[in-house]
Amino acid sequence: MARHKVTVIGAGNVGATTAQRIAETGLADVVLVDIVEGLPQGKGLDLAEAAPVVGHDARITGTNDYAATAGSNIVVVTSGLARQPGMSRDDLLSKNASIVKSVVEQAARHSPHAILIVVTNPLDAMCHVAMKASGFPRERVIGMAGVLDSARFRTFIAEELGVSVVDTHAFVLGGHGDTMVPLARYSTVAGIPITELLSRERIEALETRTRNGGAEVVALLKTGSAFYAPAAAVAEMVDSILLDRRRVLPCAVLLDGEYGTKGLFVGVPVVLGERGMERVIEIKLTADEQRSFNASAASVQELVDKLPA
Ligand SMILES: NC(=O)c1ccc[n+]([C@@H]2O[C@H](COP(=O)([O-])OP(=O)(O)OC[C@H]3O[C@@H](n4cnc5c(N)ncnc54)[C@H](O)[C@@H]3O)[C@@H](O)[C@H]2O)c1
């Protein structure tokens, strides 16, 4: 039986680190693609030469040619620009929309049965672009954001309480970024809701830090944005899909009436398995939580409305 194949488009910080993590699990061969000549080939070769030391057998190759991606089980899309000084959010939206459209069209042509994991920002809007460009059903277009946002929340909860991150669990809903909705009553330490362990004030401070988690890293790095935790988050999703583990993970998916929203990609807990998004897990929200969710969905809609036709 052939090993699984994962294509990672964009051999930048997130893409190359994702390729490394996936290859090191030995779960799949990895094809790294970028528009810059030599970049994916160089990083691919470097990663392949680490394999004897790390002790895995995954094949890693780099290419500028989509023919090499044919028959991928999963395609991860990380290609895109970061916001440059002087560039508005809308500029970034239209530039990345055209990059995502072009790479997804090419990748989907060569791997018509693949599951797409979208990473490029603005995340939720790029999921819409990827879905349209691929023509794939909603089960096979999934955005990575919630796993990262909840990992950040878990990090801060563990730090605050002086406990292992492994025993923390965090529940976040909504769009990626400023409008995400952390749900404290479903965020736990060894099954105990954090509302039993921390004051409202401290929880709010941790939630705010989580919402600004990406900006905090950017401010420290000065050039570029987070990539270790984003790559780890993508690798967790890939693992759940390829091994059909059916992990329940927060992901951006096209809602079809769930949480009162239809036709929009928003972050919700889903079951990730061999078919991609196996199902959405829906819980009853309080009136306050639903208001925050709706506000988050409205901000995704605003971006989607600005997408080029
Ligand atoms: N969803 C999330 O939670 C999350 C987290 C981190 C980063 N991101 C986003 O992921 C994206 C990548 O971040 P990064 O830090 O890796 O950036 P990066 O600049 O290091 O890498 C981007 C890569 O994309 C490549 N690229 C550009 N246009 C291309 C095209 N048409 N075809 C193929 N490759 C192309 C570039 O050459 C570059 O190597 C950004 O949009 C970033 O905002 C999202």
Side-chain angles (χ1 to χ4, degrees):
M1 188 192 291
R3 214 191 318 253
H4 287 123
K5 180 170 176 180
V6 176
T7 285
V8 180
I9 306 177
N13 281 338
V14 177
T17 314
T18 299
Q20 178 185 10
R21 293 200 73 98
I22 294 169
E24 286 183 356
T25 64
L27 267 182
D29 292 335
V30 182
V31 180
L32 199 50
V33 184
D34 203 283
I35 197 166
V36 177
E37 278 179 33
L39 181 72
Q41 290 87 344
K43 289 194 180 182
L45 179 61
D46 193 13
L47 284 167
E49 289 168 353
V53 182
V54 179
H56 68 77
D57 302 302
R59 277 182 298 275
I60 310 167
T61 47
T63 183
N64 309 111
D65 179 359
Y66 284 82
T69 68
S72 294
N73 302 89
I74 297 182
V75 174
V76 181
V77 180
T78 78
S79 50
L81 304 178
R83 200 162 145 201
Q84 317 283 331
M87 188 192 267
S88 72
R89 270 180 198 281
D90 290 358
D91 284 345
L92 182 71
L93 180 78
S94 67
K95 289 208 162 63
N96 280 354
S98 90
I99 292 172
V100 169
K101 177 173 185 284
S102 118
V103 305
V104 168
E105 278 171 356
Q106 297 177 77
R109 206 171 305 131
H110 288 93
S111 302
H113 305 295
I115 292 165
L116 287 175
I117 298 180
V118 181
V119 182
T120 306
N121 276 322
L123 191 270
D124 309 277
M126 292 307 111
C127 291
H128 281 267
V129 174
M131 185 156 181
K132 194 167 162 198
S134 63
F136 288 179
R138 74 164 183 155
E139 290 72 22
R140 294 198 280 123
V141 183
I142 305 163
M144 187 290 288
V147 177
L148 172 63
D149 291 331
S150 63
R152 287 180 171 146
F153 198 20
R154 290 173 64 190
T155 307
F156 304 146
I157 292 167
E159 197 177 277
E160 179 83 8
L161 290 166
V163 299
S164 166
V165 287
V166 176
D167 290 323
T168 60
H169 199 87
F171 196 109
V172 297
L173 289 171
H176 184 40
D178 311 350
T179 63
M180 64 173 264
V181 187
L183 289 198
R185 67 195 174 99
Y186 286 121
S187 298
T188 61
V189 173
I192 309 159
I194 58 168
T195 45
E196 306 275 318
L197 301 169
L198 290 167
S199 66
R200 187 60 239 161
E201 217 172 44
R202 287 311 301 151
I203 291 173
E204 272 169 20
L206 302 186
E207 288 176 350
T208 303
R209 191 173 174 198
T210 304
R211 264 189 218 100
N212 300 328
E216 187 178 358
V217 175
V218 169
L220 290 165
L221 291 178
K222 314 244 173 9
T223 56
S225 57
F227 54 99
Y228 291 115
V234 175
E236 186 174 50
M237 292 166 67
V238 167
D239 168 84
S240 188
I241 293 168
L242 292 184
L243 295 179
D244 191 28
R245 294 183 69 185
R246 293 167 179 258
R247 300 279 312 275
V248 178
L249 297 172
C251 299
V253 294
L254 187 78
L255 295 181
D256 186 25
E258 299 93 349
Y259 292 93
T261 302
K262 206 174 164 70
L264 207 57
F265 274 85
V266 190
V268 294
V270 304
V271 178
L272 277 192
E274 64 179 347
R275 289 178 306 171
M277 190 273 284
E278 303 279 342
R279 67 174 192 276
V280 173
I281 306 258
E282 203 172 359
I283 56 155
K284 195 161 168 44
L285 301 180
T286 64
D288 261 1
E289 290 163 352
Q290 186 68 53
R291 245 192 311 278
S292 303
F293 184 90
N294 293 347
S296 191
S299 72
V300 175
Q301 183 70 60
E302 228 174 88
L303 283 181
V304 171
D305 290 342
K306 287 185 187 153
L307 282 172

